[in-house]
Amino acid sequence: MPVAVDLVVLTVTEGSLHVLLVERALAPDKGLLALPGGFLLAHENLADAARRELCEETGITPPGHLEQLRSYGPLNRDPRGPVLSVAYLLFAPTFATPQAGGDAAAVQWHKVEDLAGPNATTRLAFDHDQILADGIERARAKIEYSPLAAAFCPPEFTIAELRSVYEAVWGCRLDPRNFHRKATKTVGFLETTGKMSAEGVGRPAALYRLAEGISPNAAILDPPLSRPRKSQ
Amino acid sequence: MPVAVDLVVLTVTEGSLHVLLVERALAPDKGLLALPGGFLLAHENLADAARRELCEETGITPPGHLEQLRSYGPLNRDPRGPVLSVAYLLFAPTFATPQAGGDAAAVQWHKVEDLAGPNATTRLAFDHDQILADGIERARAKIEYSPLAAAFCPPEFTIAELRSVYEAVWGCRLDPRNFHRKATKTVGFLETTGKMSAEGVGRPAALYRLAEGISPNAAILDPPLSRPRKSQ
DNA sequence: AAAATAGTGTCTATGAGACAATATAGG
DNA sequence: CCTATATTGTCTCATAGACACTATTTT
């Protein structure tokens, strides 16, 4: 059984959630947008294949946090026949614009708004719409009770930058004052650097980093940074 | 690449969480306890393979709720070579004692306490200890914000039965009075049947069922039936 | 000074959890 | 009667969210 690995690579730029897509250089679905990915090699583990494929198609060695999303198929998802796909999710800070390579004719960040949800305008190759939707849902759920939102930020960041990540991923506005209190008072989340941000207008903001010794993966925020329950 | 499907089949009996294990009839790891499972056939989807393997090895057509857990490998988990395993999780009501068949020499329910956590006494075959641990963790997290705990109960059940499920899965005692209020007042969770339970001593309890039109999978309890945060 | 953003304090509504009190069964 | 379990009610504490207010910068 051929086994593929596909990646949902998410980042936050310009106030909204973006996903890294490639334009397929080969049939099937040549010319369509798709998640980066490819076939698992013999003697390779899943996560290693995910990193290798991302690097081959985009020239990027993934920073951020990589985790398994779920597996799909193998039937009715690739016209060539049964292919089992194991999807991975990468929480990435915005890094250098990627370089197309491998099976990819072009690589670009795309606004998630245009691809998933009610206002979607573009169709992805294979069953990648479903995989993307699952990845977004996972990201939305996970930043609530884990420190993973910080994986979208540079190593040192302001509370406002962190808040804009939550706002982009959840697609809603958060009260800056309540968010500030919540984020800074949640134990085991942030650590002050002592430095101040010099950017922009208004009072300078303190710079924070992830708390020492936090693996963004395992740590659990308790209580969680609660996502608003009702429409705001 | 050979692809296997393994199942973590959980149920609640006698006040504690149990998992269905087979004794391997064949090498490798012959004689060891293992999760039921086997190889994916050509032209078969993952969830279908999970159901088929469970039926072959235990004679059971799974009631309850089946969901994908995650994938493992393919390296360093089977002495025969690389095998990708996709694990599934089944929330099962206690049903008829299973019948061994296929690759299984014996099939039995085992107390999860004896297998996972600090007091574990038995080792499972392959990497099934890890898979079991992940399945238990998923179950513990999921019954908090989904109606899935009811999948461990018969179609009609009392609040006390439902509470004992939560207590078994979470491994802690819950206040019967607070639990009763919480469970019955959570919208979209339970529905009264009008019938009463005749069992046991004390005042008879009302029988409930899952609310109409709930797919236990998709529904989200809001607010969740919160798991106690601190040790009780 | 005005505008903008950072950060703190305060109030209210809601839910979790402790626990009193009542209801209904069997012995 | 007593005991056991079901079910309801009440109280307290903690947290989410609304929002007034102060602090510090740029224009």
Side-chain angles (χ1 to χ4, degrees):
Chain A
M1 172 75 59
V3 175
V5 173
D6 291 306
L7 287 111
V8 178
V9 181
L10 298 177
T11 199
V12 173
T13 337
E14 295 156 14
S16 60
L17 189 62
H18 287 67
V19 59
L20 192 66
L21 297 179
V22 304
E23 188 186 319
R24 287 187 53 80
L26 305 173
D29 282 348
K30 180 175 171 179
L32 276 193
L33 290 173
L35 300 174
F39 288 98
L40 182 72
L41 302 180
H43 309 301
E44 186 179 39
N45 264 326
L46 293 167
D48 296 325
R51 286 191 203 89
R52 176 182 54 75
E53 285 288 348
L54 183 61
C55 185
E56 282 179 18
E57 294 195 339
T58 72
I60 282 161
T61 303
H65 167 80
L66 184 70
E67 69 174 50
Q68 192 182 300
L69 185 53
R70 61 162 287 162
S71 299
Y72 297 84
L75 305 184
N76 307 319
R77 51 176 309 277
D78 190 315
R80 289 166 292 187
V83 176
L84 181 68
S85 169
V86 184
Y88 274 76
L89 180 61
L90 181 71
F91 293 73
T94 304
F95 39 82
T97 306
Q99 290 280 327
D103 286 0
V107 188
Q108 226 174 342
W109 293 109
H110 293 258
K111 244 184 154 165
V112 154
E113 264 177 66
D114 304 333
L115 298 160
N119 304 321
T121 56
T122 317
R123 277 279 176 83
L124 301 186
F126 308 119
D127 55 352
H128 290 187
D129 281 309
Q130 179 65 52
I131 301 177
L132 173 61
D134 291 346
I136 293 166
E137 188 186 330
R138 170 82 64 93
R140 285 189 175 146
K142 201 135 186 187
I143 62 171
E144 183 162 356
Y145 57 89
S146 81
L148 272 176
F152 289 125
C153 295
E156 303 190 342
F157 49 87
T158 65
I159 300 295
E161 285 179 283
L162 184 65
R163 174 168 47 85
S164 79
V165 165
Y166 280 90
E167 291 179 334
V169 176
W170 285 342
C172 65
R173 309 291 293 180
L174 300 173
D175 184 293
R177 302 158 291 183
N178 290 333
F179 182 87
H180 188 284
R181 180 165 25 87
K182 186 86 179 164
T184 53
K185 291 198 177 162
T186 296
V187 295
F189 187 17
L190 301 181
E191 208 171 67
T192 181
T193 64
K195 298 183 229 170
M196 303 294 280
S197 165
E199 313 268 321
V201 70
R203 172 174 168 180
L207 283 170
Y208 292 82
R209 58 171 168 262
L210 255 187
E212 191 78 36
I214 291 273
S215 87
N217 182 15
I220 289 182
L221 299 184
D222 179 31
L225 277 189
S226 56
R227 177 177 181 181
R229 304 265 177 209
K230 314 289 178 188
S231 59
Q232 298 250 85
Chain B
M1 171 74 61
V3 175
V5 173
D6 291 306
L7 287 111
V8 179
V9 181
L10 298 178
T11 200
V12 173
T13 338
E14 294 156 16
S16 61
L17 189 62
H18 288 67
V19 60
L20 192 65
L21 297 179
V22 304
E23 188 186 319
R24 286 187 54 78
L26 305 173
D29 283 347
K30 178 174 171 178
L32 276 192
L33 290 174
L35 299 174
F39 288 98
L40 182 71
L41 302 181
H43 308 302
E44 187 178 40
N45 263 325
L46 292 168
D48 296 324
R51 284 190 206 93
R52 176 183 55 75
E53 286 289 348
L54 183 61
C55 185
E56 282 179 18
E57 294 195 339
T58 71
I60 283 160
T61 304
H65 168 79
L66 184 70
E67 69 174 50
Q68 192 182 302
L69 183 55
R70 62 161 286 162
S71 299
Y72 299 84
L75 305 184
N76 307 320
R77 52 177 306 277
D78 190 315
R80 289 166 289 187
V83 176
L84 181 68
S85 170
V86 185
Y88 273 77
L89 180 61
L90 180 71
F91 293 73
T94 303
F95 39 82
T97 306
Q99 290 281 327
D103 287 1
V107 189
Q108 227 175 342
W109 292 109
H110 291 259
K111 245 185 153 164
V112 154
E113 264 177 65
D114 304 333
L115 297 161
N119 303 322
T121 56
T122 316
R123 277 279 176 82
L124 302 186
F126 308 120
D127 56 352
H128 289 187
D129 280 310
Q130 179 66 53
I131 300 177
L132 173 61
D134 291 347
I136 294 166
E137 188 187 330
R138 170 82 65 91
R140 286 190 175 146
K142 202 136 185 188
I143 62 170
E144 184 162 356
Y145 57 89
S146 80
L148 272 176
F152 288 125
C153 295
E156 303 191 340
F157 49 87
T158 66
I159 300 296
E161 285 179 283
L162 184 64
R163 174 168 48 84
S164 79
V165 165
Y166 280 90
E167 291 178 334
V169 176
W170 285 341
C172 65
R173 307 292 291 181
L174 300 173
D175 185 293
R177 301 159 291 183
N178 290 333
F179 181 86
H180 188 285
R181 181 163 24 86
K182 187 84 179 164
T184 52
K185 291 200 177 159
T186 296
V187 296
F189 186 16
L190 300 181
E191 209 170 68
T192 180
T193 65
K195 297 183 230 169
M196 304 293 281
S197 165
E199 314 267 322
V201 70
R203 173 175 168 179
L207 284 170
Y208 291 82
R209 57 171 167 260
L210 257 187
E212 191 77 37
I214 290 274
S215 89
N217 183 16
I220 288 182
L221 300 184
D222 179 29
L225 277 189
S226 57
R227 179 177 178 181
R229 304 262 178 212
K230 314 288 180 188
S231 60
Q232 298 250 82

